[in-house]
Amino acid sequence: MRAREVGFTLLEYVITVGIAAILLAAGGFWLLAMHPAALAGALDDFDANLAAAKAIAASSGNGATLVFAPQTNGSMGYTLTVYSGRPNAADAVSATNVMIASSAASVSEAHFGKPPFAIFLSSAGYPTGTANYPALSAQGAPSFNVIAAQPPCPSGGIELTFTSPQGATATRTLPCNQVIAQSSAPDATPTPNAPHVSPTYLLAHDTTDAGPLKFKAAEYGYFQPFVAQGGPPCSTIASETGAAPAVYTSPYPDSQPTGDPNDPPAWFALAPVLHNGGMCTATVADAYGQSGSVTVQVMGDLTASTTSLSLQVGKGNGVVAFTKTFDSEQLLLSAGGACLGIVTAAPASGSYPSSPSTTPANANVTVTPVAQGACTMIVQDQYGERIPIGINVKAANQPFASWPATLVLGAGGSAVGATSGTLADADTSVVARIAPVFNALLGGGIARAAAGAACYGLAMNSAKSGIDATLPPAISAALGIYVDTSGCIVNASDVPIAAGEM
C-alpha cells in the first residue's frame, strides 16, 4: 500500500491563511496600542478637540462641554466627546459633529481623578469642570443632570495627565481666567453680547404664588451689575386693577453678578401683587444699554360665587360657580373634605379665553344633599389653590319654627299700655274705640301688659289667651330677646324692646 504524501490540501491552506490573518490583526492592534505613538495620538486628539470645543463655545451662546469617559467595551483607555452648551438647564447640552476621540492611553485630572469627568468652557474659552460627571448608562450614553451654578475653576487650572500603556506621560494644563479688578470707570472694551435672560416667561398660578417668579441674566465676558428697568413694578400689560401685577423684590434696583466673572449669572425675583392678576414685562439692562426681557403672567385668585350652602334633602341641588382671571387654560376643579355621606359633588369645567385676560376661565361644582349634617367641602383647582365651602343640610320635610305665635303691637308704633282685660292702644281710631266692646263680648282681654308699665310688643300664643314662652333659652340668649311674665318682649336688662327694634 502506497504511503500518503505529507503536505497541505487547498482547503488546509485557506484555513491556515485565515487564522494567520486573524492573529496578525489582533497582534497588530495590540502592538499599536502598546506603541508610544498611542500617547502622541492622544495628545494630538485632545488638542484638536479642545480647539473645536473653543470654537463651538464662542458661537453657541452657552459655551461647550468636553466629556472624558471610560471605554465601554472593556478595553483600556478612554473616549473624548465634544458637546455644544453647558448643563445649566434641562436639554442645554447637545451633540456636535466633532469626531469622538478614542485612545488606548489613560487620562486623569489632578482634581477630578479618572474618567468620567467633564470640562466646561465659557463663551470666552475659560475652563471649569467636575468629577464623576455625566452619569453614564451601561452602553456609555451620557445623562446631563442640571448644574445650576457653574463650578469654580480649580486652583492651578485644569491639569490633565496622559499616560501611555508603557507608562510614558505627558500633560496639558488649561489655566483659569485671571479676574481683572472692576473699577467705576466704563469698560474700555464693551462686550458685544446682549444680556441672556432665562427663563423668558414666568407664570404664577395665583397672587400668592411667588415661587416661580425668578429669573437670571447673564452676559458672557461681562461682570458689572445688571439694572432692573422701569422701577420696582414690572411694566403692566393688563391687570385686574390696572396696576402692575408683580413687583421686584430684593435685590433692587440692580443685581450684582456672582460666580465666574466671565460668565456671571445675576438673579432677580418678583412677587405677585395680592388679589391682582395680570400680565407685565420685566426688563434688565447692562451698563451699555443692552437689555433683555421676561414676560410675567400672574393668574388671578380662584373665586367662588359663595362660600356657604344651606340645603335640604330632597329639595334640589346647590351650584357654586368658580372663576379665575388671566387663565387661558381649562379650569379643572376637584372637591373633597369631610362631606362624604352628607353631600355629593360634581365639578364641571366651563369656558376659558384663548389668551390670558380679565375674561375669566369658568367652572362650577354641583352639590347634591344626601343626608342631614354639616361639613366643610374643599374645592381645589389643578394648580393647588383651595377654597373651603361650608355646607349645612337639613333633613327632609323639616318644619320651620317661628316665635312668637302671635305678636301684638301698639297701633301706629305706640306702646301697649297696662290693661286689665282689654288691650289699650294709643290709636284713637274708631276701631280702637270699639275694641273694648268687642273684647268684652269675646270674654276678656287679649293681652295683659306689665302692671304700671308699657311695652311695644306682646308675645302671645296662637289662642291669644296667654304668654308665648316657647322661645328656646339658647336662641333667646343668642338673639338677646326675652319675654317677661306679662308677655312683654324685653332685652337682657328686662327693658322693653323699643319700637324701632321690633
Side-chain angles (χ1 to χ4, degrees):
M1 185 174 185
R2 186 178 180 183
R4 183 177 183 271
E5 293 184 4
V6 178
F8 294 93
T9 67
L10 178 59
L11 178 59
E12 289 170 332
Y13 271 117
V14 172
I15 294 173
T16 303
V17 170
I19 294 173
I22 295 172
L23 293 175
L24 179 60
F29 176 80
W30 178 81
L31 290 172
L32 181 61
M34 294 297 290
H35 195 274
L39 178 59
L43 295 175
D44 290 343
D45 287 345
F46 172 74
D47 293 340
N49 282 26
L50 178 62
K54 285 186 176 181
I56 291 171
S59 60
S60 73
N62 188 27
T65 299
L66 296 91
V67 173
F68 288 85
Q71 296 275 13
T72 57
N73 57 7
S75 302
M76 66 178 69
Y78 65 91
T79 61
L80 170 58
T81 308
V82 176
Y83 295 89
S84 177
R86 290 168 294 174
N88 50 15
D91 302 321
V93 178
S94 58
T96 67
N97 59 4
V98 178
M99 184 174 293
I100 299 174
S102 180
S103 176
S106 62
V107 65
S108 65
E109 201 283 327
H111 308 86
F112 310 145
K114 297 180 180 180
F117 61 83
I119 296 174
F120 309 122
L121 297 181
S122 71
S123 293
Y126 296 109
T128 62
T130 187
N132 299 314
Y133 188 88
L136 301 173
S137 69
Q139 292 74 36
S143 177
F144 294 95
N145 296 326
V146 174
I147 302 177
Q150 181 163 295
C153 183
S155 176
I158 305 293
E159 301 176 19
L160 295 165
T161 299
F162 297 87
T163 305
S164 73
Q166 296 102 333
T169 63
T171 61
R172 288 289 189 269
T173 300
L174 308 181
C176 295
N177 174 46
Q178 300 299 318
V179 179
I180 301 174
Q182 181 179 348
S183 67
S184 58
D187 194 329
T189 57
T191 170
N193 301 296
H196 177 74
V197 176
S198 178
T200 58
Y201 199 95
L202 303 176
L203 171 62
H205 289 118
D206 59 72
T207 66
T208 63
D209 185 18
L213 301 189
K214 296 179 177 65
F215 68 95
K216 65 180 178 179
E219 187 172 327
Y220 306 109
Y222 177 81
F223 53 91
Q224 297 186 41
F226 293 96
V227 178
Q229 294 184 327
C234 61
S235 179
T236 306
I237 299 173
S239 74
E240 294 179 86
T241 66
V247 297
Y248 284 103
T249 59
S250 180
Y252 179 84
D254 55 35
S255 181
Q256 178 65 46
T258 58
D260 180 359
N262 288 277
D263 189 11
W267 283 95
F268 290 84
L270 298 106
V273 175
L274 195 62
H275 309 316
N276 182 30
M279 301 284 294
C280 63
T281 301
T283 302
V284 296
D286 64 13
Y288 310 109
Q290 302 176 115
S291 62
S293 298
V294 177
T295 301
V296 181
Q297 176 186 353
V298 178
M299 290 184 177
D301 298 327
L302 183 64
T303 303
S305 58
T306 183
T307 56
S308 64
L309 280 178
S310 293
L311 305 170
Q312 186 174 2
V313 177
K315 295 295 184 179
N317 304 325
V319 178
V320 183
F322 293 83
T323 58
K324 196 176 186 73
T325 60
F326 291 92
D327 181 2
S328 57
E329 302 174 14
Q330 186 177 34
L331 186 56
L332 304 176
L333 301 179
S334 59
C339 289
L340 183 64
I342 299 175
V343 296
T344 61
S349 297
S351 62
Y352 56 95
S354 58
S355 59
S357 68
T358 53
T359 300
N362 296 281
N364 62 68
V365 176
T366 300
V367 182
T368 302
V370 175
Q372 180 181 8
C375 62
T376 299
M377 181 176 67
I378 305 298
V379 178
Q380 175 177 299
D381 64 17
Q382 69 262 46
Y383 316 112
E385 189 177 4
R386 297 181 170 190
I387 294 183
I389 308 294
I391 306 291
N392 183 35
V393 178
K394 296 181 173 64
N397 301 318
Q398 182 177 1
F400 290 91
S402 62
W403 179 91
T406 299
L407 177 63
V408 180
L409 300 176
S414 300
V416 179
T419 66
S420 56
T422 60
L423 178 63
D425 266 335
D427 193 351
T428 58
S429 66
V430 174
V431 173
R433 288 197 299 272
I434 65 174
V437 177
F438 283 106
N439 288 339
L441 292 174
L442 294 173
I446 296 175
R448 189 175 300 279
C455 60
Y456 293 98
L458 295 171
M460 304 301 298
N461 59 26
S462 58
K464 300 181 181 179
S465 60
I467 300 168
D468 187 345
T470 61
L471 185 63
I475 296 177
S476 180
L479 298 176
I481 296 176
Y482 304 85
V483 59
D484 67 10
T485 55
S486 298
C488 277
I489 300 175
V490 298
N491 61 21
S493 300
D494 206 30
V495 175
I497 299 297
E501 298 175 308
M502 295 302 293

